[in-house]
Amino acid sequence: MDIDVLRITGLTRRYGQVIANDGISLRVRAGEVVGLLGHNGAGKTTVVSQVVGLLKPGAGDIRVGGTDAVQAPAAARRHVALQPQAQTPIDGLTPRSAIEIAGRLRGLSVRDARAAAIDLAEELDIGPWLDRRALPEGSGLSGGIRRLTGFAMAVAAPTPLLILDEPTNDIDASRRRLLWDAVRRRGDLGSGVLLVTHNVAEAERIVDELVVLDRGRLVADGSPARLRGTQDSDLRLELQLPPDGADPSESDPHLPVLRRVRTGRRILLTVAAQDAAAAVSWATAQHADDRVEGFSLAPATLEDAYLALTAQPEPRDEIHLDTTSTHRETTDA
Ligand SMILES: Nc1ncnc2c1ncn2[C@@H]1O[C@H](COP(=O)(O)OP(=O)(O)OP(=O)(O)O)[C@@H](O)[C@H]1O
């Protein structure tokens, strides 16, 4: 399918002196899951708020299923379901009643809304809590069950565009896996999904496209494979430095590094598969000389590329980026 359910062009929004969105363009097609990534404050929620008509853009165009969402936000909203970043308020309700109400508000019959609540409880493994009441101040239901209920409310009835803002917050690892599968399934069933997340490693499994924002600007977009910017066989050599340790790979010409990212005492080096043995013996020597506290070698991931793309020397001066290639040009991510 190649139908745009969301098309954003040149979106710009300021808060006083802060440019929260600076000329952002992106599209979500029917059947596609698009991940929107970026550090805290990158501008993700500002994009979402404008798509659903909670904020007016300073400049730019937003079309939801062909409807101009800036001129006609109420009409555009009929095509969208949103799970907001904040917990959906369900105090006084059970997950079952909250999901049924959401389904009814989206036009389902009583019978279909009831069936949707049962199906979603099974899909997300929240059956044991389905009839437990959410009470004020977070009691009655855990944060994770509330978050899953919020997701179930958003998807109770299918919509052309589904927007999920950090849907996995508070959720334990096993249910997070169920949730990622449920998100992917919504795409496979024909919705376009815009997925805001910090969880690059887990999102990589289910997204078709990624858009990376950094300080209000779009810094990269494309498929996970394209953004990874490395070959499938490339490896990540991760070094753990001692406190105040210098990165020993920076000054060593014998280690062929394709990409280097530093986050605090952690150094992520991308190396080619044919250099695996050399990388391990180099790291073993560094360990023996106490220049590194530990190291590991594993397949390169999208997270390495994402950290490189969004490295922020100021004010997060603990992150340093060096993409110098010593023996092979890397694709620009
Ligand atoms: N209501 C507001 N008033 C002033 N500045 C704001 C407001 N909302 C957001 N900002 C600023 O706009 C920028 C983008 O914020 P936004 O919430 O869109 O980022 P985000 O990528 O969603 O961050 P997070 O991952 O932390 O939710 C930040 O610098 C933020 O401080």
Side-chain angles (χ1 to χ4, degrees):
M1 269 188 279
D2 195 15
I3 304 162
D4 284 347
V5 291
L6 174 64
R7 182 183 276 269
I8 294 176
T9 316
L11 190 63
T12 299
R13 180 62 159 87
R14 286 174 172 273
Y15 295 103
Q17 294 300 307
V18 177
I19 306 184
N21 290 164
D22 190 358
I24 292 169
S25 299
L26 63 86
R27 64 196 293 208
V28 180
R29 300 172 185 85
E32 190 176 66
V33 180
V34 176
L36 185 59
L37 303 178
H39 290 311
N40 293 124
K44 306 177 298 293
T45 297
T46 303
V47 170
V48 168
S49 300
Q50 292 167 100
V51 172
V52 297
L54 294 173
L55 278 179
K56 268 235 177 285
D61 187 52
I62 303 171
R63 290 192 175 264
V64 176
T67 302
D68 184 335
V70 182
Q71 296 305 322
R77 252 197 311 270
R78 280 198 278 278
H79 303 282
V80 190
L82 166 70
Q83 182 184 10
Q85 190 177 35
Q87 284 279 20
T88 312
I90 56 167
D91 285 354
L93 299 175
T94 63
R96 187 195 299 276
S97 52
I99 300 165
E100 287 181 7
I101 290 167
R104 294 283 289 142
L105 287 171
R106 289 249 163 224
L108 294 188
S109 66
V110 172
R111 187 192 165 120
D112 287 348
R114 281 189 187 145
I118 291 166
D119 291 348
L120 281 158
E122 188 170 338
E123 187 176 13
L124 303 170
D125 190 22
I126 58 171
W129 293 272
L130 201 53
D131 294 308
R132 192 177 290 182
R133 205 166 291 282
L135 299 171
E137 293 170 14
S139 62
L141 290 174
S142 70
I145 299 300
R146 285 170 186 259
R147 183 77 58 182
L148 288 163
T149 303
F151 173 81
M153 290 167 72
V155 302
T159 44
L161 176 62
L162 173 63
I163 302 180
L164 306 168
D165 196 345
E166 298 288 355
T168 56
N169 283 355
D170 316 310
I171 297 176
D172 66 58
S174 75
R175 285 197 181 78
R176 239 178 17 241
R177 182 174 277 269
L178 292 178
L179 180 64
W180 287 123
D181 291 346
V183 173
R184 179 64 257 173
R185 207 168 291 124
R186 296 309 173 284
D188 295 343
L189 290 170
S191 292
V193 183
L194 183 66
L195 169 68
V196 177
T197 183
H198 289 117
N199 202 329
V200 189
E202 291 183 9
E204 179 179 5
R205 226 170 38 84
I206 63 135
V207 297
D208 300 295
E209 294 282 319
L210 286 160
V211 174
V212 182
L213 301 187
D214 187 31
R215 287 166 282 186
R217 299 197 134 170
L218 189 154
V219 291
D221 60 0
S223 66
R226 196 173 92 78
L227 261 66
R228 222 180 281 128
T230 57
Q231 297 184 3
D232 283 349
S233 58
D234 284 344
L235 300 168
R236 165 212 270 200
L237 176 63
E238 180 170 343
L239 310 176
Q240 184 69 31
L241 299 183
D244 302 323
D247 173 4
S249 72
E250 260 179 337
S251 52
D252 194 330
H254 303 298
L255 181 67
V257 174
L258 302 173
R259 179 166 56 209
R260 172 185 292 108
V261 182
R262 177 170 184 161
T263 60
R265 287 165 57 193
R266 188 169 163 238
I267 310 286
L268 304 176
L269 305 172
T270 306
V271 296
Q274 73 259 25
D275 295 321
V280 170
S281 61
W282 175 87
T284 305
Q286 302 304 314
H287 187 240
D289 289 345
D290 293 329
R291 290 200 197 92
V292 301
E293 284 190 344
F295 68 88
S296 63
L297 191 69
T301 69
L302 182 64
E303 190 189 13
D304 308 345
Y306 168 70
L307 287 172
L309 280 165
T310 54
Q312 297 183 26
E314 289 173 41
R316 294 154 42 97
D317 59 359
E318 77 277 20
I319 295 184
H320 307 284
L321 166 66
D322 173 2
T323 53
T324 313
S325 166
T326 55
H327 74 149
R328 194 179 82 199
E329 289 302 311
T330 48
T331 316
D332 275 349

